Amino acid sequence: MILLCTMIPIYSSSMPSFSQGRVVSVSSGYGIIQNGRERIVLYSQEELPFDAVVSFTGEYKELVSSPAFYRSDFAKTMRAKGIHYSLSCKDFQILTQYPSFRRFLQKQCAAIEDPVISAFARKVLLGISDKEQDSYLFRHGFSLTGLLAFWNLILKYILDQKQREKVLLSIGGLLFLLYGFPLVLAQYLLVHLFKRFSMRRDQALGLSFLILLFVYPESCISVSFLIPAAFRLCSH
């Protein structure tokens, strides 16, 4: 059943035909653009704005795997997210800029005059780094779970366990909405929500994993899913 869920195609794998779409993710040197059921990698010299509709021109190219022992296969990772093509453009045009928390943080980080502090803020708050190896865990949202762990440590001296869990769930839910539904927080919220329904821990984990694999098919190869899942299973 779980394997069948991961095989359901959410995004189209055919050659894209659109020239505009919404920026759903931003990394150093590229962003992920979505238009309906189509997704692409858009390479740009200028950093793409979060949650904006942009137009662009260029020639689509299929992502080709280039596996290596010491680094991940970018094309394989993108295909797991429903992305099969890329496009390089010299510039793009912003058609619509939707207000969002991620865009707000992006602007604030860009406004910091000190380049070192600005780069650190972009890496921690948005998972964007010029050094790919430095941002790997940050890109997968582990800075957000680190923030929850920090609050848990602080609240431990103030609230009892039940009150602390309610506050952490509220903070986690808020971050989940503000940061565009990251997988690592989705797993955190589902597991803890099901635990509140008096479910056994193994049932809560199983149901949470099933829902995640259905909603996020790429999670079966994502460290955002595998590392927290392995930790929870080992501590079960």
Side-chain angles (χ1 to χ4, degrees):
M1 179 66 178
I2 294 179
L3 292 176
L4 288 175
C5 291
T6 64
M7 296 172 64
I8 298 174
I10 296 179
Y11 302 106
S12 172
S13 60
S14 59
M15 170 75 79
S17 57
F18 62 90
S19 59
Q20 66 181 54
R22 183 164 182 164
V23 182
V24 296
S25 178
V26 177
S27 298
S28 179
Y30 70 91
I32 295 177
I33 311 297
Q34 182 170 336
N35 185 316
R37 292 185 62 249
E38 295 181 311
R39 276 183 160 192
I40 65 162
V41 172
L42 181 65
Y43 293 103
S44 174
Q45 294 180 348
E46 182 182 352
E47 185 173 282
L48 289 157
F50 277 106
D51 303 307
V53 176
V54 298
S55 64
F56 46 85
T57 57
E59 182 180 351
Y60 284 111
K61 295 182 179 180
E62 188 174 5
L63 292 170
V64 180
S65 295
S66 54
F69 185 76
Y70 291 105
R71 59 185 173 86
S72 60
D73 187 340
F74 180 76
K76 183 178 179 180
T77 302
M78 291 297 107
R79 283 196 297 270
K81 297 181 178 181
I83 304 169
H84 299 265
Y85 291 86
S86 67
L87 184 147
S88 298
C89 68
K90 293 183 179 179
D91 52 27
F92 56 85
Q93 181 179 358
I94 300 176
L95 301 179
T96 306
Q97 176 63 68
Y98 293 100
S100 71
F101 183 67
R102 295 189 300 176
R103 180 55 181 159
F104 171 76
L105 288 180
Q106 191 178 28
K107 286 182 177 180
Q108 296 305 310
C109 292
I112 299 175
E113 296 183 358
D114 190 317
V116 176
I117 297 177
S118 177
F120 179 78
R122 290 169 70 250
K123 181 169 66 174
V124 173
L125 297 176
L126 297 170
I128 304 174
S129 174
D130 295 331
K131 297 180 179 180
E132 191 69 16
Q133 66 272 22
D134 289 347
S135 63
Y136 189 72
L137 292 179
F138 288 108
R139 284 190 296 109
H140 288 85
F142 285 94
S143 59
L144 300 177
T145 55
L147 182 61
L148 289 174
F150 172 77
W151 276 108
N152 182 48
L153 182 64
I154 299 298
L155 295 174
K156 189 179 294 185
Y157 299 99
I158 304 173
L159 305 174
D160 60 40
Q161 183 175 351
K162 289 186 177 180
Q163 292 176 324
R164 191 167 70 247
E165 287 180 353
K166 291 180 181 179
V167 173
L168 290 174
L169 273 175
S170 300
I171 296 174
L174 181 62
L175 292 175
F176 181 70
L177 294 174
L178 293 177
Y179 276 88
F181 319 114
L183 170 59
V184 70
L185 285 183
Q187 182 177 155
Y188 175 87
L189 291 172
L190 282 174
V191 170
H192 285 80
L193 280 173
F194 286 137
K195 284 172 60 180
R196 294 183 63 83
F197 289 117
S198 301
M199 295 180 65
R200 296 204 317 265
R201 182 175 173 80
D202 57 343
Q203 293 177 332
L205 289 175
L207 186 55
S208 300
F209 295 165
L210 179 62
I211 293 175
L212 289 171
L213 289 170
F214 180 78
V215 179
Y216 303 84
E218 73 276 9
S219 63
C220 59
I221 62 169
S222 173
V223 296
S224 301
F225 173 79
L226 296 176
I227 293 180
F231 176 80
R232 289 189 170 94
L233 288 172
C234 290
S235 61
H236 174 55

Short mmCIF file of all heavy atoms in Angstrom, two decimals, residues 20-23 33-35 49-56 92-98:
data_model
loop_
_atom_site.label_atom_id
_atom_site.label_comp_id
_atom_site.label_asym_id
_atom_site.label_seq_id
_atom_site.Cartn_x
_atom_site.Cartn_y
_atom_site.Cartn_z
N GLN A 20 5.76 30.89 -17.80
CA GLN A 20 5.61 31.60 -16.54
C GLN A 20 5.07 30.64 -15.50
O GLN A 20 4.43 29.64 -15.81
CB GLN A 20 4.67 32.80 -16.69
CG GLN A 20 3.23 32.43 -16.99
CD GLN A 20 2.34 33.65 -17.14
OE1 GLN A 20 2.62 34.54 -17.92
NE2 GLN A 20 1.25 33.68 -16.39
N GLY A 21 5.39 30.92 -14.24
CA GLY A 21 4.94 30.06 -13.16
C GLY A 21 5.32 30.65 -11.82
O GLY A 21 5.98 31.70 -11.74
N ARG A 22 4.91 29.96 -10.77
CA ARG A 22 5.15 30.46 -9.41
C ARG A 22 6.41 29.84 -8.83
O ARG A 22 6.67 28.65 -9.00
CB ARG A 22 3.96 30.13 -8.52
CG ARG A 22 4.08 30.67 -7.10
CD ARG A 22 2.76 30.67 -6.39
NE ARG A 22 2.85 31.24 -5.05
CZ ARG A 22 1.81 31.63 -4.33
NH1 ARG A 22 0.59 31.52 -4.84
NH2 ARG A 22 1.97 32.13 -3.12
N VAL A 23 7.18 30.68 -8.15
CA VAL A 23 8.42 30.23 -7.50
C VAL A 23 8.05 29.56 -6.18
O VAL A 23 7.62 30.22 -5.23
CB VAL A 23 9.38 31.41 -7.24
CG1 VAL A 23 10.68 30.91 -6.61
CG2 VAL A 23 9.67 32.17 -8.53
N ILE A 33 10.05 26.19 -10.29
CA ILE A 33 8.88 26.91 -10.78
C ILE A 33 7.76 25.91 -11.04
O ILE A 33 7.99 24.84 -11.61
CB ILE A 33 9.20 27.65 -12.10
CG1 ILE A 33 10.49 28.48 -11.96
CG2 ILE A 33 8.03 28.54 -12.50
CD1 ILE A 33 10.42 29.57 -10.93
N GLN A 34 6.57 26.26 -10.62
CA GLN A 34 5.42 25.37 -10.80
C GLN A 34 4.31 26.08 -11.54
O GLN A 34 4.02 27.26 -11.29
CB GLN A 34 4.91 24.87 -9.46
CG GLN A 34 3.73 23.90 -9.57
CD GLN A 34 3.39 23.24 -8.24
OE1 GLN A 34 4.22 23.14 -7.36
NE2 GLN A 34 2.15 22.79 -8.12
N ASN A 35 3.72 25.36 -12.49
CA ASN A 35 2.55 25.85 -13.21
C ASN A 35 1.59 24.68 -13.35
O ASN A 35 1.80 23.78 -14.17
CB ASN A 35 2.96 26.38 -14.59
CG ASN A 35 1.80 27.03 -15.33
OD1 ASN A 35 0.69 26.51 -15.35
ND2 ASN A 35 2.05 28.18 -15.93
N PRO A 49 12.68 35.40 -6.43
CA PRO A 49 11.90 35.78 -5.24
C PRO A 49 10.92 34.68 -4.85
O PRO A 49 10.20 34.15 -5.71
CB PRO A 49 11.17 37.05 -5.68
CG PRO A 49 11.01 36.89 -7.16
CD PRO A 49 12.19 36.09 -7.64
N PHE A 50 10.87 34.36 -3.58
CA PHE A 50 9.91 33.37 -3.09
C PHE A 50 8.48 33.80 -3.41
O PHE A 50 8.12 34.98 -3.32
CB PHE A 50 10.04 33.20 -1.58
CG PHE A 50 11.12 32.26 -1.14
CD1 PHE A 50 12.30 32.74 -0.60
CD2 PHE A 50 10.96 30.89 -1.27
CE1 PHE A 50 13.30 31.87 -0.18
CE2 PHE A 50 11.95 30.01 -0.86
CZ PHE A 50 13.12 30.51 -0.32
N ASP A 51 7.65 32.83 -3.78
CA ASP A 51 6.21 33.01 -3.91
C ASP A 51 5.81 34.12 -4.87
O ASP A 51 4.82 34.82 -4.65
CB ASP A 51 5.59 33.26 -2.52
CG ASP A 51 5.91 32.13 -1.56
OD1 ASP A 51 5.64 30.98 -1.91
OD2 ASP A 51 6.43 32.41 -0.46
N ALA A 52 6.60 34.29 -5.95
CA ALA A 52 6.27 35.26 -7.00
C ALA A 52 5.95 34.49 -8.28
O ALA A 52 6.46 33.40 -8.51
CB ALA A 52 7.42 36.21 -7.23
N VAL A 53 5.09 35.06 -9.10
CA VAL A 53 4.86 34.54 -10.44
C VAL A 53 5.80 35.26 -11.39
O VAL A 53 5.78 36.49 -11.48
CB VAL A 53 3.39 34.75 -10.88
CG1 VAL A 53 3.20 34.29 -12.33
CG2 VAL A 53 2.44 34.01 -9.96
N VAL A 54 6.66 34.50 -12.06
CA VAL A 54 7.66 35.09 -12.94
C VAL A 54 7.50 34.55 -14.35
O VAL A 54 7.01 33.44 -14.57
CB VAL A 54 9.09 34.79 -12.43
CG1 VAL A 54 9.31 35.40 -11.05
CG2 VAL A 54 9.36 33.28 -12.39
N SER A 55 7.91 35.36 -15.32
CA SER A 55 7.95 34.93 -16.72
C SER A 55 9.40 34.83 -17.16
O SER A 55 10.26 35.55 -16.65
CB SER A 55 7.18 35.90 -17.62
OG SER A 55 7.80 37.17 -17.62
N PHE A 56 9.67 33.97 -18.12
CA PHE A 56 11.04 33.71 -18.53
C PHE A 56 11.04 33.15 -19.95
O PHE A 56 9.99 32.72 -20.47
CB PHE A 56 11.70 32.71 -17.57
CG PHE A 56 10.84 31.52 -17.26
CD1 PHE A 56 10.81 30.40 -18.09
CD2 PHE A 56 10.00 31.53 -16.16
CE1 PHE A 56 9.99 29.33 -17.82
CE2 PHE A 56 9.16 30.45 -15.88
CZ PHE A 56 9.16 29.35 -16.71
N PHE A 92 14.61 37.36 -15.69
CA PHE A 92 13.20 36.99 -15.60
C PHE A 92 12.40 38.23 -15.22
O PHE A 92 12.95 39.23 -14.73
CB PHE A 92 12.98 35.88 -14.56
CG PHE A 92 13.50 36.22 -13.19
CD1 PHE A 92 12.73 36.95 -12.29
CD2 PHE A 92 14.78 35.84 -12.80
CE1 PHE A 92 13.21 37.27 -11.03
CE2 PHE A 92 15.27 36.16 -11.54
CZ PHE A 92 14.48 36.88 -10.66
N GLN A 93 11.11 38.16 -15.42
CA GLN A 93 10.24 39.29 -15.09
C GLN A 93 9.24 38.86 -14.03
O GLN A 93 8.61 37.80 -14.15
CB GLN A 93 9.49 39.78 -16.34
CG GLN A 93 8.58 40.98 -16.08
CD GLN A 93 7.86 41.46 -17.34
OE1 GLN A 93 8.08 40.91 -18.42
NE2 GLN A 93 7.01 42.45 -17.20
N ILE A 94 9.11 39.67 -13.01
CA ILE A 94 8.14 39.39 -11.95
C ILE A 94 6.78 39.90 -12.38
O ILE A 94 6.59 41.10 -12.58
CB ILE A 94 8.57 40.03 -10.62
CG1 ILE A 94 9.93 39.51 -10.16
CG2 ILE A 94 7.52 39.77 -9.54
CD1 ILE A 94 10.45 40.17 -8.90
N LEU A 95 5.83 38.99 -12.54
CA LEU A 95 4.47 39.36 -12.94
C LEU A 95 3.61 39.69 -11.73
O LEU A 95 2.87 40.66 -11.72
CB LEU A 95 3.83 38.23 -13.75
CG LEU A 95 4.57 37.82 -15.04
CD1 LEU A 95 3.82 36.67 -15.72
CD2 LEU A 95 4.71 39.00 -15.98
N THR A 96 3.71 38.85 -10.71
CA THR A 96 2.94 39.05 -9.48
C THR A 96 3.79 38.62 -8.30
O THR A 96 4.39 37.55 -8.33
CB THR A 96 1.64 38.22 -9.48
OG1 THR A 96 0.89 38.51 -10.66
CG2 THR A 96 0.80 38.55 -8.26
N GLN A 97 3.85 39.46 -7.27
CA GLN A 97 4.55 39.09 -6.05
C GLN A 97 3.53 38.91 -4.94
O GLN A 97 2.91 39.87 -4.47
CB GLN A 97 5.57 40.17 -5.66
CG GLN A 97 6.27 39.90 -4.33
CD GLN A 97 7.11 38.64 -4.35
OE1 GLN A 97 8.12 38.57 -5.02
NE2 GLN A 97 6.68 37.63 -3.60
N TYR A 98 3.33 37.66 -4.53
CA TYR A 98 2.40 37.39 -3.45
C TYR A 98 3.09 37.62 -2.10
O TYR A 98 4.25 37.23 -1.92
CB TYR A 98 1.90 35.95 -3.53
CG TYR A 98 1.04 35.68 -4.74
CD1 TYR A 98 1.56 35.05 -5.86
CD2 TYR A 98 -0.30 36.08 -4.76
CE1 TYR A 98 0.77 34.80 -6.97
CE2 TYR A 98 -1.11 35.84 -5.86
CZ TYR A 98 -0.55 35.20 -6.97
OH TYR A 98 -1.34 34.97 -8.07
#
